Amino acid sequence: MSGQHTAYLGLGANQGNRLANLLQAQQYMRARMTIEKTSSYYQTEPMGYEDQPKFLNMVCRVTTELGPEDLLHFLKRIERRMGRWPSFRNAPRTIDIDILLYDDLILESEELTIPHPRMHERAFVLVPLSEMEPGLVHPVLDRSVETLLGGLRHWGVAKQCMRPRPTHDVQQEKPRVPVCLSRVGVTSLQRNVRFGNGEGSELFQASLDLFADLNSDQAGVHMSRFSVATEELVHNLTRVPTPDIESLAGNLSRQILKDQGAVRSEVHITARSPLGKITPVSGKFTEELYNLIGIASSTAERTRCIIGVTVEGMTVCPCAQEMVRSNSRDILLKEGFTEEQAERALNAIPIASHNQRGLGTLLIGSDVRVRAESLVHIIEASMSSETYAILKRPDEFFVVNKAHRNPRFVEDVVREMLRLLVDTFPDLPDDTFVLARQENLESIHKHNAFAERFGLMCDIRRELAGEGVNPIRPISMDEWLKS
Ligand SMILES: Nc1ncnc2c1ncn2[C@@H]1O[C@H](COP(=O)(O)OP(=O)(O)OP(=O)(O)O)[C@@H](O)[C@H]1O
Ligand SMILES: Nc1nc2c(c(=O)[nH]1)N=C(CO)CN2
């Protein structure tokens, strides 16, 4: 037999920690099958040999590639691994796993009978099975599980509530330290998210930070329930594709606002995204990963969204390059070159300097849609050189040469990003929020170098046009999101 088969398995335990045994058995089973559905857990009176502790029973539906005999042997090995050794029929056990049904198979061999020869007379099998699939038909008796159960006189089974029931709600209690909190949240929640539309969607690995600002009557309590509610919300909203990262951030923030009765909510999503590129000289295809960023903030009145990217590139230090150049000039003069010859030589060849991996970030808050890929290209073009995941020798030379002909400080990169942004998107409205940031992982220092500019598009445009600086302090991202 090959392919996938559907089987129903009955599990029982009446020794040791019964629930732990049933859960452990399922964990072992997953190595060779997918557990598609499980019933509740039932406390059941022992049948057959009655002088023994009560059982905990459950059934599950699985799919497996194992044939019936191999499945039986696999299950028996799990039973042995869990400390069950052959004993008398119906004896107490740490775990018992029976094959109840296997596709529509009817089989009777020396070691295996399918359907299980006693399943139709056992309430500890039929009750959980009918909870899961009442209409399932016994292929030999040609009756549904529900009908078979109706024919049993004594059941002796009781559904178990496995959830702990706390006597009081700790999260609603007055805190021991009487200080109000401003906001609560969940950070670094890792999820796979889908972006796309009806025609197709792509899977991205994402990290989410979610916050709710508390109003005065909530501010005194803990709100740690937030994390449970939020995990569920994120699970539900990320199962289906969303058109883009800002829509997902917006949907999440609106829902948190509603669910938590918060004054304001804020969601930050970072997703690792691929972008295809061709290497500059060898023409090889490479896939670069960059961080796609979606931020949303919701109040009862409005939702503000920001989209952006963080991209890696390379910068060369202009300051060190100037020192090397001046030193090289002195050497050339000492060697007998004239001032003019030395200058010509220095202009003709690249000059050494230290260089670093730079992280450039551009964030845009606007109702006008900006493609993330466009921002990636703007950031890359603002550094000394873009970098590539794959570099053949000629590409490596190209990147080093380009970077050394194009030295830039972090401040230069930020200014260049803004110049290119304004030039590339002349239609972005004046009230668009912009943040440009460069962080260099310095190679000759132990610290990073950092520069940032945030504010409104109208002010940046005015400055770029040489029309002066707005005397009012530029609006920060936090202020813009809250405005
Ligand atoms: N459908 C089946 N599922 C599991 N074992 C089966 C099945 N049909 C036959 N057997 C055989 O029954 C043997 C005894 O099984 P097991 O030790 O589970 O018995 P038991 O749990 O004491 O009683 P019961 O079979 O009534 O549940 C197994 O070694 C196996 O060869
Ligand atoms: N309640 C209950 N009784 C049993 C069980 C069981 O799993 N539950 N298993 C048996 C032998 O497989 C015999 N008797």
Short mmCIF file of all heavy atoms in Angstrom, two decimals, residues 44-47 55 57 90 93 96 122 124, ligand 2:
data_model
loop_
_atom_site.label_atom_id
_atom_site.label_comp_id
_atom_site.label_asym_id
_atom_site.label_seq_id
_atom_site.Cartn_x
_atom_site.Cartn_y
_atom_site.Cartn_z
N THR A 44 -13.01 7.08 32.10
CA THR A 44 -13.90 5.95 31.80
C THR A 44 -13.73 4.82 32.81
O THR A 44 -12.65 4.59 33.35
CB THR A 44 -13.59 5.39 30.39
OG1 THR A 44 -12.27 4.85 30.39
CG2 THR A 44 -13.69 6.47 29.32
N GLU A 45 -14.87 4.14 33.08
CA GLU A 45 -14.85 2.97 33.98
C GLU A 45 -14.10 1.85 33.28
O GLU A 45 -14.31 1.63 32.08
CB GLU A 45 -16.28 2.46 34.22
CG GLU A 45 -17.25 3.48 34.78
CD GLU A 45 -17.01 3.76 36.25
OE1 GLU A 45 -16.31 2.94 36.89
OE2 GLU A 45 -17.46 4.82 36.72
N PRO A 46 -13.24 1.11 34.01
CA PRO A 46 -12.53 0.01 33.35
C PRO A 46 -13.49 -1.06 32.86
O PRO A 46 -14.44 -1.42 33.56
CB PRO A 46 -11.60 -0.54 34.44
CG PRO A 46 -12.04 0.06 35.72
CD PRO A 46 -12.88 1.25 35.42
N MET A 47 -13.27 -1.51 31.65
CA MET A 47 -14.11 -2.59 31.09
C MET A 47 -13.29 -3.86 31.01
O MET A 47 -12.07 -3.81 30.92
CB MET A 47 -14.57 -2.21 29.68
CG MET A 47 -15.79 -1.32 29.65
SD MET A 47 -16.31 -1.04 27.96
CE MET A 47 -17.09 -2.58 27.54
N PHE A 55 -9.75 4.73 33.59
CA PHE A 55 -8.92 5.08 32.43
C PHE A 55 -9.16 6.53 32.01
O PHE A 55 -10.22 7.10 32.29
CB PHE A 55 -9.29 4.21 31.23
CG PHE A 55 -8.66 2.85 31.23
CD1 PHE A 55 -9.19 1.82 32.01
CD2 PHE A 55 -7.55 2.58 30.44
CE1 PHE A 55 -8.62 0.57 32.01
CE2 PHE A 55 -6.98 1.32 30.44
CZ PHE A 55 -7.51 0.30 31.22
N ASN A 57 -9.35 8.09 28.31
CA ASN A 57 -9.37 7.65 26.90
C ASN A 57 -9.60 8.82 25.96
O ASN A 57 -10.21 9.83 26.32
CB ASN A 57 -10.52 6.65 26.67
CG ASN A 57 -10.20 5.27 27.20
OD1 ASN A 57 -10.68 4.86 28.26
ND2 ASN A 57 -9.40 4.54 26.46
N ASN A 90 -6.64 -6.77 28.87
CA ASN A 90 -7.38 -5.78 29.67
C ASN A 90 -6.66 -5.36 30.95
O ASN A 90 -7.27 -4.80 31.86
CB ASN A 90 -8.79 -6.29 30.04
CG ASN A 90 -9.64 -6.51 28.80
OD1 ASN A 90 -9.42 -5.85 27.77
ND2 ASN A 90 -10.58 -7.42 28.88
N ARG A 93 -2.47 -0.27 32.27
CA ARG A 93 -1.35 0.08 31.39
C ARG A 93 -1.07 1.58 31.39
O ARG A 93 -1.97 2.39 31.59
CB ARG A 93 -1.59 -0.42 29.96
CG ARG A 93 -2.68 0.24 29.17
CD ARG A 93 -4.06 -0.41 29.25
NE ARG A 93 -4.13 -1.83 29.33
CZ ARG A 93 -4.28 -2.64 28.28
NH1 ARG A 93 -4.31 -2.12 27.07
NH2 ARG A 93 -4.39 -3.92 28.45
N ASP A 96 -2.08 2.49 25.93
CA ASP A 96 -2.56 1.48 24.99
C ASP A 96 -3.00 2.24 23.74
O ASP A 96 -3.72 3.25 23.84
CB ASP A 96 -3.77 0.75 25.61
CG ASP A 96 -4.33 -0.29 24.67
OD1 ASP A 96 -3.55 -0.96 23.98
OD2 ASP A 96 -5.58 -0.43 24.63
N ARG A 122 -17.52 -0.80 22.89
CA ARG A 122 -16.80 -0.03 23.90
C ARG A 122 -17.23 1.43 23.88
O ARG A 122 -16.92 2.18 22.94
CB ARG A 122 -15.29 -0.11 23.64
CG ARG A 122 -14.76 -1.50 23.85
CD ARG A 122 -13.30 -1.61 23.52
NE ARG A 122 -12.74 -2.79 24.15
CZ ARG A 122 -11.50 -3.20 24.01
NH1 ARG A 122 -10.66 -2.53 23.24
NH2 ARG A 122 -11.07 -4.28 24.63
N PHE A 124 -15.94 3.62 25.72
CA PHE A 124 -14.75 4.49 25.81
C PHE A 124 -14.14 4.75 24.45
O PHE A 124 -13.30 5.63 24.30
CB PHE A 124 -13.73 3.91 26.82
CG PHE A 124 -13.09 2.59 26.46
CD1 PHE A 124 -12.03 2.53 25.57
CD2 PHE A 124 -13.54 1.40 27.04
CE1 PHE A 124 -11.43 1.31 25.26
CE2 PHE A 124 -12.95 0.19 26.73
CZ PHE A 124 -11.89 0.13 25.83
N1 LIG B 2 -12.37 2.16 30.31
C1 LIG B 2 -11.48 1.42 29.65
N2 LIG B 2 -11.48 0.10 29.82
C2 LIG B 2 -10.59 -0.66 29.14
C3 LIG B 2 -9.67 -0.09 28.26
C4 LIG B 2 -9.69 1.33 28.11
O1 LIG B 2 -8.89 1.89 27.34
N3 LIG B 2 -10.61 2.02 28.81
N4 LIG B 2 -8.82 -0.86 27.57
C5 LIG B 2 -8.84 -2.15 27.67
C6 LIG B 2 -7.96 -3.01 26.85
O2 LIG B 2 -7.54 -2.37 25.73
C7 LIG B 2 -9.74 -2.82 28.59
N5 LIG B 2 -10.60 -1.96 29.29
#
